Structures are given as C-alpha cells and as structure tokens.
Amino acid sequence: MKKRIGILTGGGDCPGLNAVIRGFYKAGTSNFGFEIIGILDGFEGLIFNKTMPLTRDKIKGILTRGGTILGTTNRSNPFECAVQLPNGKIEKRDYSEKCVQNFNNLGLDGLLVTGGDGTMTIAHKLYEKGIPFVGVPKTIDNDLDATEFTFGFMTAVDTVTECIDKLHSTAESHQRIMIVEVMGRDAGWIALYAGIAGGADVILIPEIPFDLDKILQKIKERQESGSNFSIICIAEGATFKGGEKTYLFRDTLTGTKRLGGIADRLAMMLRQNTELEVRSTVLGHIQRGGTPNAFDRVLATRFAVKAAELVEEGKWDHMVALKGDKIVAIPVLDAIDKQKFVSPKSQLVQQARLLGISFGD
C-alpha cells in the first residue's frame, strides 16, 4: 500500500533544509509512491495539527532557497511545551499524547524528522509512544559525532569567511583590532574553519580556554613585525581560562540562557590594555540564512534520498549520516549519544598553529 509520510523540520533553521524536503519528495514519490504531508513549524505542527500537502509545485525552485518552507521552531518540545497563562506565569505541559492522536488522525505511516540532537531526542521519545520516524541530522555547528558533516555548516563557514574578508580591509585601513563573534556554543568548528579560511590572527573556541595575555602577546608580535591590525574570530561559547560562558539573557518561555557578548567583553579588555582601536562584530543569525552552497545542497539531497530508502524499508528510529563518502543508517540513540568537539591536538589545530595563528593558550 502507498505510504503516507509526514515531514517536519525542527530546531534552528539553516541552509539546506529545503534541499532535504525537495530530495525526499522527489525520491519518495517517484520511486516508492509516497504521499507526503508537510508538518508546519516543527513539532508544533504535530501538536496543533498544522499541515499542508506537499506537491510538485510546492517544491519547485526550493533547492536554492535558505530556510524551510515548512517553518521551524525550537520552542515546542511536546513533552515540555511552555505555555504562558493569563496571569503571565509559564507552565510546562505534556502534549505528546496529542501528537500521537494527530499522527493517527492524519493517517500517517511515519515521519521524516530533520533536526539536531534535541529534535532527534524528542523524535525517539515519540517513537516509543508509537510514532515511527527516520531522522536527518541538521546543525550548522557540525557537532554530531555520528556524521562527518552536517548540511548548513559549510554554507555558514562561507558566510563567516566572507565577513572576515570584508573586515580585513577596514581593519588594515584604520589599524584596528577587529573581533568577529560567530556561532558555536560548545564546539568551535565554524570559528576554526572560517578563521583559517579568512586568515584570522587569533581563533578562540570553546574547547581551548584563552588567556588575555596570550592574545596581547600575539597583537604585540604583529605590531613589531609591522602589522598594526589584527583579526580575532571567536565562538560565542569561548571562555577565559577559569571563567564561564557569557550570556545575554534568559528566554522567559523556555528558561534557556542565550549565549552572546563574549566579543564585547574581550573588546573592552583589549581597549584597556592596548593603544589600538578595537571593534567587535556579532554575526548572529546571518550565519543561518542565505542560499546553501553546492556542498550543502549535495549533502542534504543525499541524506534525503537515503532517508526515503529507509522509510520504504521500514527502518525506523534510525538517522542517516555521512561516513567517509557513503551515506549510512545509524540507530538514533547511537547517533546523538556523543557530541563532536574540536580536539586541541587535532591535525587541523596544529596546522593552524604552524601558520602562526594563536588560540589564546
């Protein structure tokens, strides 16, 4: 019988999500006869029954589009959905049974769930309640150990690299220290790749706590060699040695603390210890937007095609992943069990050091 499959995108958006939707639709309908229903706004669509049928017209032209035509949110965990009461208080409610009910009412045979470790954890818990699914990994942080790369990461690196390129000319013209804050809560892959590609002088990542004196030493060395400007690429989760992460505020609905502000903190300290002008730039969500590059389009499409094959096989509670040059299936719990961090002893970090790049340690 023809399978009726729902597809949702959860967590933060990134370039390549639409490529997954398109790839799954094309492979699923052409080869396996799937009927595909779009679930809107992540798991929120499953909670509140927000859907739209996916058709060939709906997926036309979306390969090159950033974001997701289905919408997404990272605030609607069905097991702990934050609801603001009339008195202003926040209450956590369990809507997981409602998800199961809506899944059955829609006549679905399974879900394709695209997201990071949080989204996959929710999907696995719903699987235990009777909702079969196949997962596609998505995070621009590239911090899932089960896969070599996640789509969106390379496009984010391209975006950051372009911004560093632009800051080089103004930094040199005004003899300034330019600090660029990029995404990376616990893993510094974006800062590392873009920092090397953009020719940064200092790269600061969560895995290597930094010392202000070491950064000042690098700046002084550059001045003595005739370079009166420096570029510092810093991940939002980077910390001073012995210090804690820097947060901007706490989300009132979810209670989650929002990272940010480390570039401004570092800039203030550098101003107090050097005669050079210091400016900080926070790239923020610009890293999530825009057209996916060729690498991410291909990877997202390959993930989607493999996911369609797993759905047809009924290989539920598995996630697709890139291993070497092959797309494979991994049990979800194994896939999200371990984060992938930058090793301070990795070849890439050592090669960056040989280029003269300081990591502040």
Side-chain angles (χ1 to χ4, degrees):
M1 293 179 61
K2 179 185 290 188
K3 290 182 178 177
R4 185 175 167 90
I5 306 299
I7 177 172
L8 65 83
T9 51
D13 69 313
C14 76
L17 283 170
N18 283 324
V20 172
I21 296 168
R22 172 184 177 271
F24 185 77
Y25 179 90
K26 288 174 73 72
T29 57
S30 300
N31 297 284
F32 309 120
F34 294 166
E35 180 185 358
I36 301 177
I37 305 298
I39 310 294
L40 304 181
D41 301 326
F43 289 109
E44 187 175 294
L46 206 55
I47 296 171
F48 301 109
N49 200 25
K50 299 190 295 181
T51 67
M52 74 173 187
L54 283 180
T55 63
R56 188 163 294 276
D57 284 342
K58 290 279 177 58
I59 66 156
K60 281 182 179 178
I62 68 172
L63 177 64
T64 60
R65 286 173 56 183
T68 164
I69 62 170
L70 298 177
T72 187
T73 177
N74 52 15
R75 288 187 167 192
S76 294
N77 180 346
F79 295 89
E80 297 180 359
C81 192
V83 178
Q84 188 164 16
L85 303 177
N87 61 8
K89 291 184 177 181
I90 305 298
E91 181 178 276
K92 296 289 183 68
R93 295 180 181 175
D94 186 344
Y95 286 130
S96 59
E97 290 298 335
K98 192 172 181 182
C99 287
V100 175
Q101 181 182 345
N102 284 332
F103 176 87
N104 292 326
N105 289 342
L106 288 166
L108 297 176
D109 296 297
L111 288 179
L112 177 74
V113 176
T114 303
D117 55 353
T119 299
M120 294 302 159
T121 300
I122 293 170
H124 175 74
K125 291 173 71 174
L126 288 174
Y127 172 76
E128 292 178 328
K129 283 182 168 286
I131 297 181
F133 81 100
V134 167
V136 173
K138 177 256 358 159
T139 166
I140 65 169
D141 289 332
N142 197 42
D143 60 352
L144 285 179
D145 190 63
T147 182
E148 308 279 354
F149 289 102
T150 51
F151 65 87
F153 168 68
M154 284 300 186
T155 302
V157 169
D158 282 353
T159 298
V160 175
T161 301
E162 182 181 356
C163 291
I164 294 175
D165 290 346
K166 292 179 184 298
L167 288 173
H168 258 285
S169 57
T170 185
E172 187 172 8
S173 297
H174 290 274
Q175 300 184 352
R176 288 173 175 162
I177 300 170
M178 291 290 191
I179 306 173
V180 186
E181 182 179 314
V182 304
M183 288 183 171
R185 172 180 292 274
D186 300 306
W189 294 107
I190 292 177
L192 179 59
Y193 270 71
I196 293 173
D201 306 297
V202 179
I203 297 174
L204 304 174
I205 59 177
E207 296 89 342
I208 305 177
F210 61 89
D211 186 325
L212 179 64
D213 289 336
K214 296 293 185 180
I215 299 172
L216 290 169
Q217 180 183 331
K218 177 63 179 179
I219 293 169
K220 183 179 179 182
E221 289 173 358
R222 286 182 53 75
Q223 286 181 294
E224 290 174 349
S225 68
S227 296
N228 289 318
F229 73 97
S230 294
I231 302 292
I232 300 174
C233 185
I234 183 170
E236 61 187 351
T239 63
F240 290 90
K241 283 186 177 178
E244 298 180 347
K245 296 185 189 300
T246 304
Y247 296 95
L248 289 174
F249 61 90
R250 184 184 293 273
D251 189 294
T252 54
L253 270 180
T254 64
T256 303
K257 291 194 291 184
R258 298 294 179 183
L259 277 171
I262 185 62
D264 290 338
R265 280 185 63 195
L266 178 59
M268 179 182 67
M269 292 182 179
L270 290 177
R271 289 188 191 104
Q272 295 170 352
N273 290 275
T274 180
E275 295 179 356
L276 294 176
E277 286 189 75
V278 185
R279 297 288 188 272
S280 59
T281 300
V282 180
L283 297 187
H285 285 77
I286 192 174
Q287 297 161 86
R288 292 194 180 276
T291 299
N293 66 13
F295 180 91
D296 284 336
R297 293 183 206 181
V298 172
L299 182 59
T301 300
R302 293 185 68 195
F303 277 168
V305 173
K306 181 64 175 179
E309 293 175 344
L310 296 184
V311 169
E312 175 63 14
E313 295 167 9
K315 199 165 186 175
W316 307 114
D317 200 29
H318 279 67
M319 186 191 83
V320 298
L322 177 65
K323 289 292 186 183
D325 63 347
K326 297 185 183 299
I327 308 297
V328 300
I330 300 174
V332 162
L333 287 186
D334 293 343
I336 63 176
D337 180 59
K338 184 180 177 184
Q339 274 187 289
K340 179 173 63 183
F341 301 111
V342 176
S343 169
K345 296 181 179 180
S346 69
Q347 184 183 61
L348 188 57
V349 170
Q350 297 309 314
Q351 289 173 332
R353 291 187 191 276
L354 291 173
L355 290 171
I357 295 173
S358 170
F359 286 84
D361 61 339

